[in-house]
Amino acid sequence: MTTSTFLTRALCTGTATVGLMALGAGAALAHVTVAPTNTTEGGYSQLTFSVPNESETAGTNKVEVALPAETPFTAVRVKPLEGWTAEVMRGELPEPVTAEDGVTLTEAPLSVVWTAEEGAEISQNEYQTFSISVGQLPEAGTVVNLPATQHYTDGSTRAWDEPAAEGEEEPESPAPAFTTTAAEEGSGHGAAHSAGAGGASGDDELEPAAAAEPAGSSAGSAAGWVGLGAGLLGLAAGGTALLRTRRMTEDRRTP
C-alpha cells in the first residue's frame, strides 16, 4: 500500500468517526432541557426550556411542563412568546406543605401549558424556547424535576419524564431537571427572598449563574461536543504524522 493510499484511507476513517460523534451530539441535543439562571436555595430563577421538534412529518403545537408538588413554587410567571398562549395551572397539592415563611400551602401552581396559534408551530429542524420565572427554590441539594410533554399536530405526544440518577446511564426520555445549591457565605440569604418579594423577579434579577448548568440531557450534549472536538484534534494529528513519515521516506530514497 502506498503512503498516499494509506493517508486517504486514514482520512476517510477519521471523517466517518467524527460524523458518528456529531450524530451522537445531535441526538443529545434533541432532548427537552431546562436552563436556570439561578439555583440558590430560597431564591428566584428564570427557567428556560429548549424544545426541539423531533417529528419528520408533524409540528409541535403544545408543550406542558409539570411543576414540583413536594416542594412547590409559591410564585410562577410566564414570559410572553409571540404566537403562543400560556396558562399557569393551579391545583390542590397531594399533601399540605409548609413554606419557609411558616405558611401552610394546600394549593400551588402545578403546571404550565403553552399552546401554539395556527402557523406558529415548531416545524422540522426547528426548536423553540419557553421561559418562566419561579420561586422560591427549595433547600440546597434538591433535584427539581420538571417533566415535559410535547404534543404534535398529528395527535401524537412525547413525554420527557424519566428522572436521571447520578452515576447511572441517562434514560431515553430524561425529564428536564436541575439541582439547587447553597447560598454563598456572606451573600445574604434574605437578598434572594427580597428579590422576589410580591411575586417573581424581574429581568434585572435573572442574571445567568455559573453554577446554573442544565441537568440531564444537557450534560450529554456537552460531552458529545467535547468528544467531537477531541476527534477533530486526533484526526489532524494523525494526518500530520503521516505526512511527516512520507517526507522522511522520500528523503531517504533521494540519492
Side-chain angles (χ1 to χ4, degrees):
M1 181 186 301
T2 63
T3 303
S4 59
T5 301
F6 181 73
L7 177 59
T8 300
R9 290 186 179 180
L11 289 173
C12 290
T13 301
T15 302
T17 301
V18 171
L20 291 174
M21 294 171 67
L23 287 175
L29 289 172
H31 298 166
V32 174
T33 59
V34 62
T37 57
N38 174 48
T39 58
T40 305
E41 60 180 346
Y44 287 74
S45 180
Q46 177 175 276
L47 308 179
T48 299
F49 299 88
S50 179
V51 181
N53 187 80
E54 291 188 321
S55 175
E56 297 180 356
T57 58
T60 298
N61 61 355
K62 186 177 180 181
V63 176
E64 298 179 68
V65 172
L67 303 177
E70 294 183 357
T71 55
F73 300 128
T74 56
V76 176
R77 290 184 181 179
V78 180
K79 184 175 182 178
L81 178 63
E82 185 177 0
W84 291 75
T85 58
E87 185 176 4
V88 178
M89 312 296 291
R90 297 182 61 90
E92 292 187 6
L93 297 171
E95 295 181 2
V97 175
T98 302
E100 289 190 10
D101 55 8
V103 176
T104 299
L105 304 176
T106 58
E107 66 171 20
L110 298 181
S111 66
V112 182
V113 181
W114 289 270
T115 305
E117 299 174 0
E118 186 174 355
E121 300 89 349
I122 309 172
S123 300
Q124 289 71 34
N125 301 317
E126 293 181 347
Y127 77 98
Q128 185 57 272
T129 57
F130 304 86
S131 295
I132 58 177
S133 177
V134 302
Q136 297 169 315
L137 299 184
E139 63 179 355
T142 302
V143 178
V144 181
N145 284 301
L146 301 158
T149 303
Q150 191 170 2
H151 296 253
Y152 290 93
T153 53
D154 61 3
S156 62
T157 60
R158 175 65 189 272
W160 303 94
D161 57 0
E162 298 179 87
E166 186 177 356
E168 296 184 7
E169 186 176 354
E170 182 182 79
E172 183 178 353
S173 302
F178 68 95
T179 303
T180 56
T181 56
E184 294 184 6
E185 187 175 354
S187 62
H189 196 181
H193 288 213
S194 62
S201 55
D203 291 340
D204 56 336
E205 293 143 0
L206 300 177
E207 298 178 358
E213 182 175 341
S217 59
S218 60
S221 63
W225 288 117
V226 171
L228 177 60
L232 290 171
L233 291 174
L235 178 60
T240 301
L242 286 171
L243 288 173
R244 187 175 300 170
T245 301
R246 182 179 179 184
R247 290 174 182 171
M248 292 176 62
T249 302
E250 291 176 351
D251 290 341
R252 291 173 182 175
R253 290 177 180 176
T254 303

